[in-house]
Amino acid sequence: MTAVGSDLWQRLAAYEIGPAATALSFTDRLARENRWDRTYTQRVIREYKRFCYLAVIAGHPVTPSDAVDQAWHLHLTYSRDYWERFCPQALGAPLHHGPTAGGGAERTRYYDQYAATLKSYEESFGKPPPGDIWPAAARRFGVDPKAFRINPADAIIMPRRWARWLVLAAILAAAMIFLAGRMA
């Protein structure tokens, strides 16, 4: 039987995270906190549910992608929903979050667990996970851990390529001003 046909997956797929009658839903909050659009956020939530499915059935420790981990972290803050409804009713088991202790051995362990998670995902769902949510292990453990939260009210955020062009434009403007001053 595929994951999609299982009772566990049906319960997870139907599960709505958080209280229903709120001004800011779980989906809206996850989108806001990560600056994701609604469509991407909904996809991440589906992948979070798939990760939870794998945590129960894979037979080995599983490791989430960074995006899936963001959904998991936020869900854990909805502690009553997570521990009193989600784990017992949807998962049928507790699912604890254990952060890394750091260091080379831990990096290797989580790297290997992530690779096994991706393999189990493909076996369970019949296709590889979406690369924009589940990047390759090299990115997950090389680039993603360098990320940190920035409040956009306190900083200007732009893609690195834009910053390079901005610096180049500033240098050219300064050179033109300097040359104009020398010619006057």
Side-chain angles (χ1 to χ4, degrees):
M1 177 191 309
T2 66
V4 177
S6 74
D7 288 340
L8 173 59
W9 175 248
Q10 294 304 313
R11 288 192 312 270
L12 286 167
Y15 192 85
E16 291 296 324
I17 300 172
T22 60
L24 186 64
S25 71
F26 177 84
T27 301
D28 292 337
R29 185 171 170 196
L30 185 63
R32 184 193 68 191
E33 290 185 7
N34 289 282
R35 299 181 57 119
W36 297 335
D37 65 49
R38 186 162 184 82
T39 300
Y40 183 79
T41 303
Q42 290 169 330
R43 290 178 56 232
V44 168
I45 292 169
R46 183 186 67 227
E47 295 304 316
Y48 165 61
K49 291 175 179 181
R50 288 181 174 186
F51 165 76
C52 292
Y53 174 87
L54 294 172
V56 172
I57 64 94
H60 60 79
V62 293
T63 296
S65 68
D66 184 64
V68 168
D69 202 35
Q70 293 307 313
W72 193 9
H73 285 195
L74 183 58
H75 195 185
L76 284 164
T77 68
Y78 289 65
S79 60
R80 283 188 180 86
D81 179 78
Y82 186 83
W83 290 112
E84 295 173 10
R85 288 184 50 233
F86 182 73
C87 287
Q89 294 172 18
L91 277 181
L95 179 57
H96 293 278
H97 188 290
T100 180
E106 285 282 281
R107 188 177 315 109
T108 299
R109 178 170 73 98
Y110 282 104
Y111 189 100
D112 293 344
Q113 281 179 198
Y114 187 72
T117 302
L118 298 180
K119 184 174 187 267
S120 291
Y121 182 109
E122 192 163 354
E123 290 168 357
S124 294
F125 295 100
K127 60 185 176 183
D132 62 333
I133 297 174
W134 292 90
R139 176 171 177 97
R140 171 69 176 97
F141 294 97
V143 176
D144 290 349
K146 296 174 184 168
F148 57 92
R149 292 187 181 268
I150 297 173
N151 186 334
D154 297 333
I156 296 172
I157 303 166
M158 70 177 76
R160 188 177 298 263
R161 66 182 177 280
W162 292 7
R164 289 182 184 127
W165 284 109
L166 189 61
V167 168
L168 180 60
I171 290 170
L172 288 173
M176 289 172 56
I177 292 170
F178 176 75
L179 290 175
R182 302 253 326 170
M183 296 174 120

